[in-house]
Amino acid sequence: MADQKVSTSCLNGKKQQSDFTWEVRANDRAYHMQFKKRVSFCLTKRKYADNAIKTGKYNALTFLPLNLYEQFHRMANLYFLFVILLQTFPEISTLPWFTLLLPLGCLLIIRGLRDLIDDIARHKSDWIINCRPCEILSGKSFSWKKWRDICVGDIVCLRKDSFVPADLLLLSSSEPSSLCYVETADIDGETNLKFRQALLVTHEELMSVESMAAFDGKVTCEEPNSRMHSFIGMLEWKGEKYSLDSEKILLRGCRIRNTEICYGLVIYAGFDSKIMRNCGKIRLKKTKLDRMMDKLVILVFLVLMIASFFLAVACGIWAEKFRRDHSYLSTFYAKTSPIKQAFFTFWGFMILLSIIIPMSMYITLEFIYLVNSFFIDWDVEMYYPAKDTPAKARSTSLNDQLGQIEYIFSDKTGTLTQNIMTFKKCCINGIIYGPGTGRKRRLLDESLSWNPYADKNLEFYNPLLLEAVRRDDDPAVREFLRLLAICHTVMVEEKDSQLVYQAASPDEEALVMAARNLGYVFLSRTQDTITISELGVKRTYKVLAMLDFNSVRKRMSILVRDPNGKIRLYTKGADMVILTRLHENGANEKITEKALDSFAEETLRTLCLASKEVNERDYTEWSKKHHKASIMLENRAEELDKVYEEIEKDLKLLGATAIEDKLQDGVPETIQLLKKGNIKVWVLTGDKQETAMNIGFACRLLSDDMLILEEEEISEMLSAYWVSNNNLSSSGEPLCSDSFVQKPLDTFRRGNTALIITGDFLDKILCIGEVVKKKKENFWKRMLCCKAEVQQEQESLLEKAFMNLATSCQAVICCRVTPKQKSLIVQLVKKHKSAITLAIGDGANDVNMIKTADIGVGISGQEGMQAVQCSDYALAQFRFLQRLLLVHGRWSYLRICKFLRYFFYKTFSGLMSQIWFAFYNGFTAQPLYEGWFLALYNVFYTAYPVLSMGLLEQDVSAKKSLQFPELYRMGQRDEFFNYRVFCLTLLHGTATSLGSFYIALWAFEDKVGSKVVGDYESFAVTVATSALLSVIIEIILDIKFWTVLSFLTVAGSLLLFCVFSYLTQNFQAFKEAPSIFRFPDASKNALTDPYVLLIILLCVVANTIPSLTFRLVRVIMGKSTIHQIRMKDMRLERDMVELRAHFQRGSMQRRSSYAFSHKEGYADLITRGASLRGRDSLGLSTTPVPVFRSSSSPRLEAHKTRVEFLA
Amino acid sequence: MTSKSREDAQHPPSRCPDNSAFKQQKLSAWQPELTPASVLSGFILIGVFCLTMGVCLILSARSVKEVQINYSDKCLNCSKLRENSSNWNTECLCSADFKLEEKIQGDVFMYYSLQNFYQNHRRYVMSRSNAQLLGRNTDIRNSNCAPFSTYRNGTPMAPCGAIANSMFNDTISLFYYTNLSTAIQVPLLKTGNSWWTDKYVKFHNPTSHNLTSAFAGTARPPYWQKPAYLLDEENERNNGYINDDFIIWMRVSAFHTFRNLHRRLSRTEQFADGLPAGNYTFHIFYNFPVSRFKGKKYLILSTVVWCGGSSLFLGIAYTVSGAVVMLAGFIITAIHLKLKKRKTYFQR
């Protein structure tokens, strides 16, 4: 969408002028220094950024203020700060100062330390990147400097295999025609080479260092932007203007390959570079639970505020009574009015009850998150030995969300597939040759002897075929292999006396390699010849024309004159395309079609091969047309297609090939498992539709019994929805009723449905309903009349309808999508389904998506690290996702939920008694508990058992989790912690606090005794102890996984209670600071009285029995989740198997998966001859080819004219 | 050494995580599952325990003998008098008679009980200076005692604070009628009623050669009739801050209705076995006003058993919860058995 906008804006001249404001002058640092840019109202920054990147947040000076500022961004922290400040007023200070300061201090320090460690790591990695060496032209020579020293306008020298430090304009390279090959693995994850070509003028003139030092060209281009693949600019040099496009730009993060040396002019540096612009700002991701927790804390806060308000009102009423009647108290009220008293008491209660807001929950949660992240890092089963890469949780606050994923968005290349193509099968003349078995090794050694060019690590081996090849008596076999060796755009290079192929797509390479292994070796090519070795005999074919591949034609052909002088046309392409262009339809074709079907069934990428002989007369005639078409200025491509069409007919079918796009290990199994866990997997890929679909089948995302909806069906459904919706809206009914989408969708819901769409189609849907525009013209006109607002609404409705459709499908594959669209799709799902999404990818083109999704996973261990840098989790393999989600995710979710539930429970049950006590002390906000008990309750007395539960709890083992992926659904349904659970917890906590408080109250009321007679200290100790014990018993019931740590923490809590009670209540402490340690020996006095002990025992029993009963009832009713689901799924599985057995496998229509990657081949380059060195590297009898030979390359002429035209 | 280090350099340490039980989350663990059998037997056990406990408690509480006399009602005229604070200086003596039908054996404790007296009021609870009560010479102006810290002329109060100021100051003596006309005073002990820790740790008199000089420069609280060092005129060592009555008063109650231990029966002469049956009378110097806030004052004579006094609450509570637990256990068992039957039926 953005690209479109740019192109339209470029069309109107005025805008173009204003857009091109980025001026770069070569070798003129001073010029760039003078420009400033306003950042905020008085701060300015240099307009041209330098190449140093800085991702760290703090420096030594700013750490403390910034970090504190950030920490107090959390509402809870801010609130506690506020309460602590309130406490300094003696009138309302109901709690001792340390009760709140102690936990808050702990929280701030721990979090601050963590932030500090994180930031130091970021600074380190920045430093490493900024200190990478590179050669910069300074003065008259190149000198080694660091990346951070690069400035806009510098000329940089890059050598083979070095990374590009900034966005550069390629000036010249050591290769012929100033080509420069780059690998963009870091940017888009694709490992195939791409070429960049410098301007002719710079290439020719800037050959020496001196000339480069004297270079004073001026580049004018767009301001830095995030569009990776577009660049429009102009070079002004020596009075001439040259146009620049993205083919002349080396992007930061690329790697120079196959090019000895090249020179570039820095256009965008540092944060201005395209890749950095694409990284965007680091957005803080929050989990669903996190958000809910914040809401709950606010809710609790509000409840407390309301409670405080009512208690304060009551206090005001009582104040009058106290003042009038209670002479011993009246002096307290002498100077204040009841309203003032109530106001003070309100804040007093706010302070008193603020401890119910679970502040230390955040500290403990942080720690649990951290350790759970470590568990991910530590998991041996997510360690990939081949690359020595363990899993890495880069973000430590999203673990629980891993247990709630509903949608996975996966990249294809490099994530699902290895991007390795292997020649798997072929069908020649109706005979299918598959991969050999058994005697492979022995035969392989044998085969090497006759074919010196055979590749040692070949996978395809079939003795039958080999025999047929070596017999050399079947012309079909010969032609078949010859075609493979000739008809391609692969380039060859000799390295260490070995042939190395460079292909635009790995498919082509696989085909040429297969031919090579079978004795038909592609040796070299010139601009118009191809030399191959056929079973040891070198033959040179003259290339008459190359009919290149494009996505419309879905085929490529080559017209050659063989050494015998015959002209032949070799074509390979998608089966549908080839089969319709055959001369005859014989038995061979039938068998081949069947073979194609069977290949497709195995999810192999198929290709049909055909050839024909062309007689001389036809050729000369066609050649003229071809020449004419190729020099046309307008509609050249269409014209050429027509000309090509003329000759590509009456073909003779040779056979078919099948290539396997190798999946990563365990991908189908993982996807299967995830699907069982009710996780929907969407594949978002830049690939072609056919390839994407093929992979869909290969990884069992799609299956034969699925109804696959393609664009036409979708647009029909959506426009039907449009019409009905429009009728609805005109009749005044609410627009938002989506019953009309629902209806057709329901029919699909029962069966398996899959959706396949392309990026363009997506644009159409998301741009204002263009689908409808095409089909319902009159409706569209009506639409235009509507106001913009309505359009907006309609747009979102269409979006919604589409999302409804897409999310009801079992699988969705989006092909040919741009990185931006990828993130857009993720955003749509997030918006319309409010589901938790996970995006997984390996390249920079996935970065957007990874950042948008709730959880981003990067594939690590590959060369490109862009995705990993921005991800939350880094895995080495796609298959580890199952363990990450089903085991770690589920456990983390379970742990966090159990933790939260219990934490809220313990806070309520322990501390709610304060409210009840208010009813008995005239609403004066007298704290029930001792200050130290309150200060230590959350931090020391009850924190550790729940912490150990949060760290180690498991309901089922890892093995069982993977065995029953259905268990994952509980996380998706928010079953373990939701508002209902929270309310129950609130009730339970309240009940417990009521129990502990009232049992003690009633027991003390009428008490006589020699020792404890209901004094405040004893009562406080009794209620505190019984509440604490009740809470501890509750966690004993809650923990289902008792490790040593659990035992230790439970015992430790009790021990700590005793120790701290002793420490804070001993005489010495009291004598030292009587106002801080106010309860000397209270516990000892109270807890040695049998009566008090009996009260505590009764409290514990009364509080525990209901909880125990509830649990028992769940067990008896079979509602204990694990048990229930296990039973259900066993039954379900049995049923499923039976159902499946009856299901008929439908015949299918999915063969046509043309095995080319979406990029066009190098044909243009080859026919231009630009990439070929005029040297005889293999000692073959090829004639050196002049770089430009205009007679035989009409295309080059055309290219030249185009250049001139543009200039 | 060098060869080893070279080897290390050649093979950088693997990043493979440790295969330890903790890191792999495979710690050996006990995974208890709630089974109906174990929980239900637990229920029954708890139920039985609670029931027995309840019965024991009830029986013990029933064995306690207790006499409770509402003397604020009996001394109405004194109550009326005290309602007006201008009469603070007028003495009011009142007596309350009661009859013991049967004798109270064993140690007999005398409590006073106050109703509707908010000793747990926040400002009231705070209004004391622990440091002062420890006998330290502290500046009480900054303590929580205000507004009962100093007089207008700057003389500090000793003891300061609202609690001390409002100390219970009725003087009570018990008389036993050996016959219709002669009454002998029942010997009651004033000391040994407070917690040991309070008497010997929390409270200390300021150190000086005698008590009077220790309190020199201070003044009694406004409501007090006597200074602190004259609280017990008979016993020099029960004076000042370490006076038992004072200590007990300073231990504030958690409720607005509370009992404080006041005296113990000194088991001498005819009271060696306790209080014999017969007619008794309390002679009360009625000082402490309660009628303004509709308070009540009681005097209680009671014996004490291991589980306290005559209060039946805990015993009943135990019995009830025991019964409930048993009942719940039986109901759940019934449901369980029924469901189990049905399940097996369906499974078949």
Side-chain angles (χ1 to χ4, degrees), chain A residues 285-287 369 373 395-403 854-856 872-873 892:
Chain A
K285 286 181 181 177
K286 269 191 153 186
T287 68
Y369 273 121
S373 304
S395 152
T396 55
S397 57
L398 299 171
N399 300 329
D400 60 294
Q401 199 128 297
L402 285 175
D854 295 301
I855 288 182
D872 305 309
Y873 296 89
S892 292

Side-chain angles (χ1 to χ4, degrees), chain A residues 669-736:
Chain A
E669 292 81 2
T670 304
I671 287 184
Q672 203 67 11
L673 212 59
L674 294 177
K675 274 170 96 178
K676 264 198 198 167
N678 200 24
I679 303 171
K680 283 184 178 156
V681 181
W682 291 27
V683 175
L684 311 180
T685 173
D687 266 4
K688 289 178 60 242
Q689 184 162 354
E690 287 86 353
T691 5
M693 206 158 146
N694 207 341
I695 287 301
F697 279 107
C699 54
R700 281 190 239 157
L701 198 62
L702 306 175
S703 57
D704 286 343
D705 53 358
M706 268 183 173
L707 173 66
I708 295 171
L709 297 179
E710 287 188 43
E711 297 182 4
E712 283 198 4
E713 288 104 306
I714 301 166
S715 51
E716 253 166 50
M717 288 174 71
L718 289 181
S719 58
Y721 165 71
W722 264 98
V723 172
S724 52
N725 193 61
N726 186 60
N727 291 343
L728 263 182
S729 62
S730 58
S731 65
E733 278 181 54
L735 279 164
C736 294

Side-chain angles (χ1 to χ4, degrees), chain A residues 75 136 188 222 398 427 556 561 691 736 800 864 1093 1112:
Chain A
M75 276 303 292
I136 306 174
D188 50 21
E222 310 157 290
L398 299 171
C427 168
M556 91 162 271
R561 190 189 291 278
T691 5
C736 294
K800 201 175 159 194
L1093 289 179
L1112 185 65

Side-chain angles (χ1 to χ4, degrees), chain A residues 406-419:
Chain A
E406 282 177 69
Y407 291 90
I408 292 181
F409 299 91
S410 173
D411 178 40
K412 186 187 79 75
T413 318
T415 308
L416 295 176
T417 64
Q418 298 176 343
N419 207 17

Side-chain angles (χ1 to χ4, degrees), chain B residues 108-110 187-189 191-193 261-266:
Chain B
V108 181
F109 296 84
M110 188 176 101
L188 294 172
L189 293 173
T191 53
N193 301 330
L261 181 59
H262 195 57
R263 297 281 183 267
R264 287 181 300 151
L265 176 69
S266 166

Side-chain angles (χ1 to χ4, degrees), chain A residues 245-265:
Chain A
D245 58 17
S246 60
E247 292 296 296
K248 294 173 180 56
I249 299 294
L250 300 174
L251 294 179
R252 181 184 171 124
C254 294
R255 210 166 185 183
I256 306 293
R257 295 282 192 202
N258 290 13
T259 310
E260 284 307 326
I261 199 160
C262 68
Y263 300 95
L265 171 71

Side-chain angles (χ1 to χ4, degrees), chain A residues 789-945:
Chain A
E789 290 163 40
V790 182
Q791 279 185 11
Q792 287 263 317
E793 217 168 291
Q794 302 276 6
E795 189 181 345
S796 72
L797 266 174
L798 185 64
E799 227 177 74
K800 201 175 159 194
F802 172 68
M803 261 3 259
N804 268 335
L805 176 65
T807 47
S808 66
C809 289
Q810 297 292 306
V812 175
I813 296 179
C814 304
C815 23
R816 303 206 63 98
V817 285
T818 60
K820 202 156 201 173
Q821 282 175 325
K822 284 185 178 186
S823 75
L824 198 69
I825 294 168
V826 177
Q827 216 155 26
L828 278 180
V829 173
K830 270 172 79 175
K831 190 170 121 195
H832 289 282
K833 288 283 139 184
S834 63
I836 312 286
T837 54
L838 179 146
I840 179 167
D842 69 325
N845 56 352
D846 307 315
V847 166
N848 260 333
M849 154 172 102
I850 283 174
K851 280 187 170 165
T852 313
D854 295 301
I855 288 182
V857 179
I859 300 286
S860 61
Q862 247 106 2
E863 286 187 12
M865 289 294 278
Q866 278 295 331
V868 172
Q869 295 287 301
C870 303
S871 65
D872 305 309
Y873 296 89
L875 299 178
Q877 291 266 294
F878 181 81
R879 74 186 140 102
F880 294 149
L881 206 55
Q882 55 171 295
R883 204 172 160 80
L884 184 71
L885 299 187
L886 298 181
V887 178
H888 289 283
R890 218 183 75 81
W891 277 349
S892 292
Y893 173 70
L894 174 88
R895 285 166 189 169
I896 300 290
C897 287
K898 277 189 124 174
F899 170 84
L900 284 181
R901 192 203 79 80
Y902 177 76
F903 205 99
F904 277 114
Y905 166 75
K906 83 172 171 91
T907 316
F908 292 142
S909 61
L911 307 174
M912 287 274 269
S913 310
Q914 306 261 25
I915 297 179
W916 320 138
F917 189 50
F919 288 91
Y920 294 88
N921 58 31
F923 305 98
T924 51
Q926 165 69 13
L928 170 60
Y929 300 122
E930 187 214 354
W932 282 107
F933 179 80
L934 289 176
L936 302 170
Y937 178 78
N938 274 331
V939 186
F940 288 107
Y941 298 163
T942 53
Y944 303 117

Side-chain angles (χ1 to χ4, degrees), chain A residues 7-17:
Chain A
S7 58
T8 51
S9 73
C10 286
L11 285 176
N12 80 49
K14 274 180 197 167
K15 240 189 176 172
Q16 197 176 4
Q17 289 300 319

